[in-house]
Amino acid sequence: MTSTATTVGTFHFSNCLMNAAGIHCYTRKELADIDASMAGSFVTKTGTLNERAGNPEPRYFDTDLGSINSMGLPNLGIDYYLEYVTELEKNPDNKPHFLSLVGLSPDETHLILKKVQDSDYQGLVELNLSCPNVPGKPQIAYDFEATEKLLSEAFSYYTKPLGVKLPPYFDIVHFDQAAAIFNQFPLVFVNCVNSIGNGLVISDETVVIKPKDGFGGIGGDYIKPTALANVHAFYKRLNPSIKIIGTGGVKTGRDAFEHILCGASMVQVGTALHQEGVAIFERITNELKAIMAEKGYETIEDFRGQLKTL
Ligand code: RRO
């Protein structure tokens, strides 16, 4: 029997595949669709303290090789998502979920985290340190000092299971510096990677999205090598208690297999989920199981992190 079940912290998932934050997770209806699919879990759209409309449209564009977006953090507000995951958690037969959140300032992030700390919700939280699209707000995780300060303050009061969503890093020294910071904290997971920030896609002579003169986060096939490198770099550097969630360029069972080989315990689907819909979870799961069966692997622990070098 081939199983794609997995564990993150104390949470058990019957399947390691799920959505990436931002895709099919804005409303309860979209989240319920994922819950009813083969996915092992869902993560909500990143919630801010107050509801946000986000950037002007068009703000998302699919290409043959992936996508570009500058959504600008549109969301229904943290209370909306916190209430939903708390409600689902009351039934012990339900899957565990991830609540994604971040504030527009460190103070706002602490207000939101304190709200979650004081709530009944006991599940996983993903702190998004890597939104590339809010004009005037740099990606937090590219500022190591700010990241260390934020986490150090957060862990002074936050005692529930917490992980972080990271942007891609592109330099070995940055992998080393970032990992040294994350290893100081009782993080349950790091999620590598968010979109590659501030790319540009052009059609004929014109940009394809309206915000920021066409600049936006790149996802899909374009980013798989960068995503795999980040998954593996952090797998090699982080304390084994910090699990890795692999995100970036996953549209086939082979892509998911490669993320797990690099060290991912859970694998998220972003652009391809947007392009194919929630039925994609069944297809990728079946493709992943076929690869595992052919290689004689029964569980993902049989090959997780076992990438070979030359
Ligand atoms: O909403 C967005 O523009 C957005 C977010 Br918060 C994020 O984390 N990553 C992304 O590609 N877009």
Side-chain angles (χ1 to χ4, degrees), residues 45-46 69-74 128 130-133 194-195 217:
K45 175 64 186 170
T46 301
N69 87 85
S70 183
M71 303 299 288
L73 208 31
N128 186 354
S130 47
C131 175
N133 299 328
N194 208 318
S195 54

Side-chain angles (χ1 to χ4, degrees), residues 66-254:
S67 66
I68 184 168
N69 87 85
S70 183
M71 303 299 288
L73 208 31
N75 75 93
L76 294 167
I78 189 63
D79 290 346
Y80 179 91
Y81 302 107
L82 177 57
E83 279 164 25
Y84 188 44
V85 291
T86 306
E87 188 180 308
L88 289 177
E89 196 180 58
K90 287 190 182 133
N91 181 347
D93 294 337
N94 283 338
K95 303 168 185 178
H97 300 107
F98 294 75
L99 175 68
S100 173
L101 57 83
V102 75
L104 297 177
S105 66
D107 283 352
E108 188 182 314
T109 297
H110 293 309
L111 268 176
I112 300 170
L113 280 174
K114 282 178 182 159
K115 221 180 221 286
V116 180
Q117 175 68 33
D118 294 341
S119 74
D120 289 337
Y121 181 60
Q122 304 298 328
L124 289 152
V125 166
E126 177 172 285
L127 174 60
N128 186 354
L129 298 179
S130 47
C131 175
N133 299 328
V134 181
K137 307 267 179 202
Q139 290 171 74
I140 299 166
Y142 284 149
D143 180 340
F144 289 141
E145 222 173 289
T147 297
E148 188 169 357
K149 184 167 189 286
L150 185 70
L151 290 177
S152 161
E153 288 169 357
F155 280 112
S156 72
Y157 60 86
Y158 197 80
T159 58
K160 293 178 175 178
L162 184 69
V164 287
K165 178 77 173 274
L166 300 179
Y169 297 101
F170 302 95
D171 194 288
I172 302 298
V173 169
H174 293 161
F175 291 138
D176 292 341
Q177 291 172 340
I181 292 170
F182 301 132
N183 273 333
Q184 296 172 45
F185 300 103
L187 288 164
V188 173
F189 67 88
V190 303
N191 185 342
C192 307
V193 295
N194 208 318
S195 54
I196 295 184
N198 295 300
L200 193 53
V201 171
I202 296 170
S203 172
D204 190 16
E205 297 185 5
T206 311
V207 302
V208 297
I209 55 173
K210 184 177 168 97
K212 294 173 64 180
D213 288 339
F215 283 56
I218 305 297
D221 297 359
Y222 301 112
I223 78 164
K224 190 177 80 170
T226 297
L228 293 175
N230 276 260
V231 167
H232 199 53
F234 283 105
Y235 177 74
K236 289 282 211 186
R237 287 166 177 77
L238 294 180
N239 305 329
S241 60
I242 307 180
K243 294 290 181 264
I244 317 286
I245 299 179
T247 307
V250 177
K251 70 175 180 194
T252 66
R254 174 69 203 184

Side-chain angles (χ1 to χ4, degrees), residues 3 16 183 266:
S3 165
C16 62
N183 273 333
M266 193 119 205

